[in-house]
Amino acid sequence: MKKNNETSSVIDASGQETIEVFGAREHNLKNVDLTIPRNKLVVITGISGSGKSSLAFDTIYAEGQRRYMESFSAYARSFIGNMERPDVDKINGLSPVISIEQKTTSKNPRSTVGTVTEIYDFLRLLYARAGEAFSYVTGKKMVRQSEDQIIDYIFQNFEKKKITLLAPIVKGRKGHYRELFQQVRKMGYTKVRIDGEIVEITAKLQVDRYKIHDIEIVIDRIQVDPADRYRVAQSVKASLDQGKGIMMIVPQIKDKDGEAQFFSKFLMDPESGIAYDEPAPNMFSFNSPYGSCPCCKGLGVIEEITEESIIPDKSLSISRGAILPLGEYRDIWIFRQFETILKKYKVSLTTPVKSVPAEALKILLHGTETEDGSETAFKFDGLLNFLKSQQEEGSEKTQKWLTDYVTITTCPECHGARLKKESLHFKIDNKNIFELSSMNISALAEWMKDLEKRLDKRQLQIATEILKEIRKRLGFLLDVGLDYLTLDRTLRTLSGGEAQRIRLATQIGTQLVGVLYILDEPSIGLHQRDNVKLIDALKNLRDIGNTVLVVEHDKDMMLHSDYIVDIGPGAGRHGGSVVAQGTPEQFLKLPGITADYLSGKATIAVPKERRAGNGHTLTLKNASGNNLKNVTLTLPLGKMISITGVSGSGKSTLVHDTLFPILNKHFFNSRRDALPYGSIEGLEFIDKVIEVDQSPIGRTPRSNPATYTEVFGEIRNLFTLLPEAKIRGYKAGRFSFNVKGGRCETCEGAGMKLIEMDFLPDVYVPCETCKGNRYNRETLEVRFKGKSIADVLNMTVDQAVEFFDNQPRILRKIETLQEVGLGYITLGQHAPTLSGGEAQRVKLATELSKRDTGNTLYILDEPTTGLHFQDIQHLLYVLNKLADKGNTVLIIEHNLDVIKVSDYVVDLGPEGGAKGGKILCSGTPEEIIHNKKSHTAKFLAEELKI
C-alpha cells in the first residue's frame, strides 16, 4: 500500500517531489537510472563528452517536448510530424520543459538585445504615445490644431483684416501639372498660387516641368468679420480637406500678401510647414518601412562594393591584377572592353592604375552611354554596376565570392541610428529613442529612475504602466550581470553565454511556475564577480516554484546548488554512467574526479617558474574603439598571455576588433578594418597570426571534424590505394559524400534529411535509404582492415588513433584532436551538434597539426568553454607545448585555472561598458594581485592562496 502511495506522489502533478529517469540509453548513456529532486537547483556535471547533454537535452528535454506535441490534436500533428521518442524506458514526474541553450542565437542583423527582451517594443509604445515631436528643420516643437482652434485663431488675430485661405497640393516637386490644374478647375476653384504668385486657372495652364514648384489652391479670400463665422468655418474645412489636413493663411498687409502661416490637424512646424504623420509604434521600428531609415533599410550600415575595395593597390596595372575580382590579364571579353576604352585615352592595360586618367577610370568602373557617330560606339555598364547586379541577382556561390569585396560603412543618412529622421525627432526628457537604445543597461536604468518627475501631467498618465514594464525587464538584465550591454547591440555579436543569459532574463520575466528549466552552461563568458548575480537569478527561478537543471562545470555554481549529478567516468564510450550524486556537502565526500577538484584534493598546479619570453614585445598604441580609453597594450612575445577583466570591459574590442584585424591585414592582406588605433610596433618579431574562435566549423551535417582538419582527404587517398578500389577503378572522388558517384543520392551524401517543422525549429532525421551511412552499397564494399569508409567516419578519435597507428600522415592529424581532449567525438560527427567549445578545439587541433614556425601568435577566445577541470588540464598541456616552442599564445579568459598558469596577465576594467576600457594592470599573476581596483586580482589572490 505504501509503495502505491509513493508512486502516486511521483505521478501526481500537485505534490510530486522527484523526477525519475529509468533506462536512459540515448547516445553513450549506459542504461542510466536517476532520481532528481524537484523545485531545486540541480547541476549535471562531468568530463566533456561524458553524456551530460545526452541526459539533460536529448533525454529529459526531448521527452518533455514530445509529450507537449502529443497534447496537440491529430490534425495539428499531421502538419508537424511525429517527434521520435528518446531511447529511455520511462520518465516520471516530468513538468513542462523549457530549454535555454547556447546554439539558438539569431544571426539576423535585425535582432537586437532590445527586440529579444521586448524592452524596445515598450520604448516604441512609450514614444508613440508620450513622445514630443520637434521639427528637424527648425528644431522647434511641433503643434497640431483642430478646426475649431484654427477658426478661433483667425478671429483673434485677423479680425477686420483680409486673409487668403490656401490648401497646399504640391510641395517641392517637379512637373508641368497641366492635368492637376484642370482637375482643380472642375472642383469649382478658379485660382491657384504657384511659387508665391496667385494666378487664374486657364484652359491650358501649365508650369515649367524641370523646375521645383510649390502649388496651393486658393480656397477663399475674405475680410474676417464675426458675422461671416459660418463662411470662415466652411472655408477652413475645405482647406484642410483639399490640403489633406494642412492649410495656409496669408494675411494681406498694405495691399500686399504677408508671410504664410501653416496650420495642421497633424503634427506640424508652423515656421517651415513640414508635417509628421500621426505617431504609431511602428514609426519607431527599424524593422518596419514606416520607421526604418530609407537609405540603409533599418540596418544602420550600408554594404557596398567600392573602388577602394576592388583596387587596393593603384601602383599595379590592370594586366598585373590591380582589379582584384578580375585577377591578371586573360583573353576574355571584359579585358577587351577595357582595352578599347583605354586606347581612346592613349593608355593601355599595362599602365599603372594611378597613371590612368580619372575620366577613363570612371568609365571602366561606372560605365558609359552609347556614343553616337563614333566608330567605337558602344554601351558599357561599368565593372562596379556589374558586380552590384551580381551581388543582388547572382548565384549563391557568386554572392559569397563578392562578400570579400564588400565594404561596410555607417549609413550617411541616419549615422547608424537605423530610423528615419522624423522618428528621431520625437523626444522624452530631451532624448530620442536611439539615444536610449545606445545607453548601456545600467545607465538606462539610472535614467529611468526618476523619469516621472520630468514628465508633464499628460505624459505621466500615459507612461506610468509602460515604465513599470520597462523597469522590470531592465532589472532582470541587471540581475544576470548584463549591465554593460546596450539595447541596440545585435544578437549575433554576443557570446553564447550572453545570449543565454538574455533568454534567462526573459524567462524570469514571464514568472511561470511549475516548469522544468534546462540550461546549458549559463556561466560562459561571465567574470567571477558576476557569477553571484547569475546564481541568485537561478535561485529566484527555483524559489517561485520551478525545477532548474543546469549543465555546468563552474565551481561556484556547483557549490551553491542544491544537488549535483556527476556523469562519467570518462568521455564518449568510457562515460555515460552516473558516477556520483548528492547535495554539495555529500558530493564532496564521494570519490571521483569532479569531487576531487571541488574539494581541493586535485588541482591544476601553478608552474614553479614563469617563461622569460624571447625578449621582444608587440606594442599596440592608443586603441580607442568602442569603450577603450586610448589604451596602449604591450605584449611580451614567446609567452602564454591572458587578457582578463569583467564582462564588457573591452577585452574583445581590444583583441578581436583591433589587434587581430591589424595583424591579419599585415600578414594575409585581409580587408577587414581594425577599430581606431594610433600605431603598432614589433610586427617584425612574429611571422603569422592564427585566431581560434568559437564560431561553428560548419552549419550543415556535411561539415565534420574529419573534413575540417583535412584528414578526410588522406583517408580517401588511402582507400583509393586498396586492391578492391583499384580493380573497380575508384578514384578519391568516389569516397567523397559531396559529389555524385559514391554517395547516397537520396540524401545527397548528408546522411540526414532536413524536415521543416513549420513553427518549430527544423529537425534532421537519418536518411531512410543509407540509414545515415552517406554512401551507396558499392562504395561501402571497399574495406580497409575490415572497415568501410562509413565505419571510419563513425569511429571516435580514440578508436581512429589505434586503427591508423601505422599511417603516419593520417595519425599526425588525428592525434592532435586527441591531445586537445576530443578523443570522444566521432570523425564524422555533424558540425551542428558540436558545442562552441568543441568547435574551437577542432580548430585548435587543425592549427596544431600544421608545422609551426616558433614565431606564431595564437589568439584564443575563452577556450575553456564547456571544459571540465580535467579537460582544462589537457588543454593547458597543448597550449604550453605551443608556448614552449617560442610561439605567443594570447587568451581571452575568465577561468582562474588558466589565468593562474599564464606567464603574463593584462587586466581591463574596472567595470563594463562606459566605466571600463582601461588597462588596470599587467604583469605576472603574482604581480597583478596587489592591484586594489581590479576585480580579477581579488579572485586570483584567493585562487593562488596569497
Side-chain angles (χ1 to χ4, degrees), residues 318 323 325-342 349 363-365 378 380-384 386-387:
I318 293 173
I323 301 176
L326 299 181
E328 294 195 353
Y329 179 80
R330 288 162 293 156
D331 189 18
I332 56 174
W333 173 84
I334 189 89
F335 283 108
R336 290 197 292 273
Q337 287 282 62
F338 280 9
E339 215 162 2
T340 309
I341 294 165
L342 292 172
L349 294 175
I363 291 172
L364 295 183
L365 297 176
F378 65 90
F380 180 60
D381 285 336
L383 182 63
L384 280 178
F386 171 71
L387 292 176

Side-chain angles (χ1 to χ4, degrees), residues 233-431:
Q234 289 301 309
S235 297
V236 167
K237 186 178 186 308
S239 301
L240 290 169
D241 288 346
Q242 296 302 333
K244 296 192 169 72
I246 300 171
M247 65 171 285
M248 294 158 69
I249 296 175
V250 181
Q252 237 177 350
I253 303 162
K254 294 180 183 173
D255 296 331
K256 282 187 179 176
D257 285 346
E259 202 169 318
Q261 292 182 28
F262 287 87
F263 295 86
S264 172
K265 287 201 286 191
F266 311 118
L267 289 165
M268 174 170 241
D269 176 10
E271 204 167 299
S272 63
I274 59 159
Y276 294 170
D277 289 335
E278 203 59 29
N282 64 4
M283 187 177 173
F284 301 95
S285 169
F286 44 78
N287 294 329
S288 160
Y290 296 104
S292 62
C293 165
C295 180
C296 62
K297 305 286 186 290
L299 290 172
V301 291
I302 290 174
E303 296 183 355
E304 57 182 352
I305 298 171
T306 61
E307 183 181 327
E308 290 71 28
S309 64
I310 62 170
I311 314 178
D313 184 359
K314 292 194 174 181
S315 63
L316 292 174
S317 66
I318 293 173
S319 63
R320 292 289 306 277
I323 301 176
L324 290 179
L326 299 181
E328 294 195 353
Y329 179 80
R330 288 162 293 156
D331 189 18
I332 56 174
W333 173 84
I334 189 89
F335 283 108
R336 290 197 292 273
Q337 287 282 62
F338 280 9
E339 215 162 2
T340 309
I341 294 165
L342 292 172
K343 202 178 282 181
K344 291 169 61 184
Y345 292 92
K346 297 186 171 50
V347 287
S348 69
L349 294 175
T350 56
T351 309
V353 172
K354 63 183 178 187
S355 305
V356 172
E359 194 181 334
L361 195 59
K362 188 180 175 187
I363 291 172
L364 295 183
L365 297 176
H366 300 283
T368 177
E369 294 298 321
T370 306
E371 296 177 21
D372 295 318
S374 163
E375 284 178 29
T376 56
F378 65 90
K379 184 176 185 296
F380 180 60
D381 285 336
L383 182 63
L384 280 178
N385 293 332
F386 171 71
L387 292 176
K388 281 171 190 171
S389 68
Q390 288 300 306
Q391 196 183 2
E392 289 164 17
E393 298 156 16
S395 67
E396 198 175 322
K397 192 176 176 186
T398 306
Q399 288 179 356
K400 195 174 178 186
W401 165 65
L402 285 172
T403 53
D404 290 346
Y405 307 106
V406 166
T407 305
I408 297 174
T409 52
T410 304
C411 172
E413 204 161 297
C414 67
H415 305 291
R418 296 173 161 230
L419 297 169
K420 62 184 184 183
K421 58 189 173 191
E422 289 89 340
S423 306
L424 293 170
H425 282 79
F426 280 80
K427 299 189 177 181
I428 291 176
D429 190 30
N430 288 324
K431 292 205 179 290

